[in-house]
Amino acid sequence: MNVNRRVQTLDEFTIQQLRDFPQATGELSHLLRNIGLAGKRVHVEVNKAGLVDILGDAGTINVQGEEVKKLDVYANDQFTRVLQHGIACAGIASEELDDFVPFDDAKSVKSKYVCLFDPLDGSSNIDVNVSIGTIFSIYRRVTPIGTVVTKEDFLQPGNQQVAAGYIVYGSSTMLVYATRRGVNGFTLDPSIGEWTLSHPDIKCPEQGKIYSVNHGNFFQYDKAVQDYIATCQKKDKETGGPYTQRYIGSMVSDVHRNLIKGGIFMYPGTTDKPKGKLRLLYECNPFAFIVTVAGGKATNGKIRILDVEPTELHQRSPFFVGSKLMMEELETYLN
Ligand code: AHG
Ligand code: MN
Ligand code: MN
């Protein structure tokens, strides 16, 4: 029998990385494995979304006052439960839950990490068969091991992230995660249910040709943002402009594409919503971390997203993220 052993699984990869750190306990690998497990369960449901009665509204409104879809609820439950039953997570915070959830059982209080997530990103795209995703952010707790986690464990600036990642449920399902050592992408082989390393050591091209923004809000953006968008539309030999506009409305898919191909994604503040729409802790910070490790940049328009000191679990932030040179060009307008 000819067994293909060129394939490296997520577990093999994370354990191999650990070998360089003799003091490591393996908890982070375990946590990533559990995120992968919850992701596989969501993948299964996403793929039959058109077949079963899982479409449509759950009939409830979340803390943000938004409609909750059944798949949002399902994904939130999966990630929460899988992490609660694992041995590496001391508590979670989620877009779908008003407050953080400390895991106060004897096993969990001894765990090192907390995890914040957006269980289903781009949920307005569920009903129309367009790619959606999950976003996660992992911190080492700041309170002592053996105690129940508190809010300060969750309100850490993004520069303290130990790891961050996302899952995109697209034409294939992919899990991409970053640690300070690099960004790696794993494609789910649905025939065997394994995450397999398909995109090792992802680097974001310094210059791309794509800009992603909601043009419908154009007249609500600051002049600086409007001027930058106009620049994206101009012919420019040096930058390769005019850029191509691409906006899916699932940030996971939009930023994933721009990370691989090079590009810039923007969700600026508007006159109606000066802080924009995206949530700092489980939408902006994880992507800021991933793209920065891959060589790109992320800002809220004033400072690096990763250096923002959070004050609330669900706080929003303007968000600009992408290829280094494109971000530097944008910054000349914002400053
Ligand atoms: P969520 O589904 O978790 O609420 O997030 C949707 C977000 C993000 O994925 C996307 O980029 C943005 O909303 C789109 O918003 P607009 O429709 O306002 O452009
Ligand atoms: Mn989201
Ligand atoms: Mn969401």
Side-chain angles (χ1 to χ4, degrees):
M1 196 168 62
N2 190 4
V3 180
N4 180 357
R5 285 306 294 164
R6 279 179 305 155
V7 165
Q8 191 170 34
T9 68
L10 175 65
D11 290 350
E12 286 169 339
F13 181 85
T14 58
I15 290 166
Q16 185 191 302
Q17 295 251 306
L18 271 185
R19 287 181 172 160
D20 298 342
F21 296 97
Q23 74 286 8
T25 59
E27 272 187 65
L28 184 61
S29 304
H30 186 82
L31 187 54
L32 289 163
R33 180 197 162 79
N34 279 343
I35 288 169
L37 173 61
K40 282 191 251 183
R41 291 188 173 155
V42 174
H43 157 90
V44 169
E45 290 310 304
V46 167
N47 277 276
K48 60 188 191 200
L51 298 172
V52 292
D53 181 30
I54 200 152
L55 288 175
D57 307 335
T60 46
I61 301 282
N62 73 6
V63 62
Q64 257 89 206
E66 294 153 349
E67 238 173 34
V68 182
K69 301 287 185 184
K70 282 184 185 171
L71 212 47
D72 286 314
V73 179
Y74 180 84
N76 185 59
D77 288 352
Q78 288 306 320
F79 280 92
T80 305
R81 282 192 205 144
V82 167
L83 293 176
Q84 184 154 27
H85 290 121
I87 52 149
C89 189
I92 57 108
S94 161
E95 180 191 319
E96 299 302 336
L97 301 169
D98 297 16
D99 210 350
F100 68 95
V101 180
F103 299 154
D104 56 7
D105 58 284
K107 153 183 69 69
S108 300
V109 294
K110 292 191 195 132
S111 303
K112 269 207 271 213
Y113 298 108
V114 295
C115 183
L116 298 88
F117 52 81
D118 175 355
L120 232 276
D121 175 70
S123 43
S124 66
N125 281 326
I126 297 170
D127 292 358
V128 287
N129 214 343
V130 171
S131 297
I132 48 182
T134 297
I135 313 168
F136 60 90
S137 168
I138 299 169
Y139 292 88
R140 199 167 284 118
R141 59 186 296 175
V142 290
T143 51
I145 301 247
T147 62
V148 177
V149 288
T150 67
K151 204 167 190 168
E152 32 158 354
D153 294 306
F154 296 90
L155 295 186
Q156 301 189 52
N159 57 32
Q160 294 301 305
Q161 287 172 103
V162 170
Y166 60 87
I167 299 169
V168 49
Y169 311 97
S171 42
S172 60
T173 295
M174 262 188 89
L175 185 156
V176 175
Y177 84 93
T179 62
R180 272 164 222 279
R181 304 176 74 188
V183 186
N184 290 278
F186 301 81
T187 300
L188 182 64
D189 179 342
S191 62
I192 51 168
E194 280 283 4
W195 298 105
T196 52
L197 181 63
S198 53
H199 295 62
D201 199 19
I202 296 172
K203 299 278 186 243
C204 182
E206 283 205 335
Q207 175 69 50
K209 286 193 171 181
I210 297 170
Y211 76 105
S212 311
V213 70
N214 185 337
H215 263 284
N217 294 335
F218 184 84
F219 293 108
Q220 291 205 48
Y221 296 145
D222 282 354
K223 173 136 192 333
V225 174
Q226 292 180 347
D227 288 349
Y228 174 71
I229 292 174
T231 303
C232 293
Q233 298 168 336
K234 283 199 187 108
K235 215 173 168 63
D236 184 332
K237 269 210 197 103
E238 212 176 295
T239 64
Y243 301 151
T244 295
Q245 207 279 347
R246 291 279 182 273
Y247 191 73
I248 296 169
S250 296
M251 180 175 53
V252 169
S253 318
D254 276 314
V255 181
H256 173 68
R257 179 202 52 237
N258 293 1
L259 172 68
I260 305 286
K261 292 193 167 185
I264 187 165
F265 172 92
M266 301 178 272
Y267 205 109
T270 61
T271 36
D272 287 350
K273 295 179 183 163
K275 290 189 169 165
K277 175 182 185 186
L278 300 173
R279 274 65 48 123
L280 175 67
L281 290 181
Y282 41 80
E283 292 184 313
C284 306
N285 267 341
F287 274 117
F289 184 82
I290 297 161
V291 172
T292 303
V293 172
K297 293 181 112 184
T299 173
N300 65 3
K302 293 196 172 75
I303 62 167
R304 257 174 28 121
I305 281 284
L306 294 175
D307 296 332
V308 176
E309 288 287 342
T311 53
E312 280 168 56
L313 223 41
H314 298 290
Q315 82 190 67
R316 296 179 196 259
S317 172
F319 190 42
F320 306 86
V321 63
S323 290
K324 184 170 173 280
L325 297 178
M326 298 173 91
M327 287 295 294
E328 284 169 1
E329 193 184 12
L330 166 72
E331 280 161 5
T332 65
Y333 288 82
L334 297 178
N335 295 329

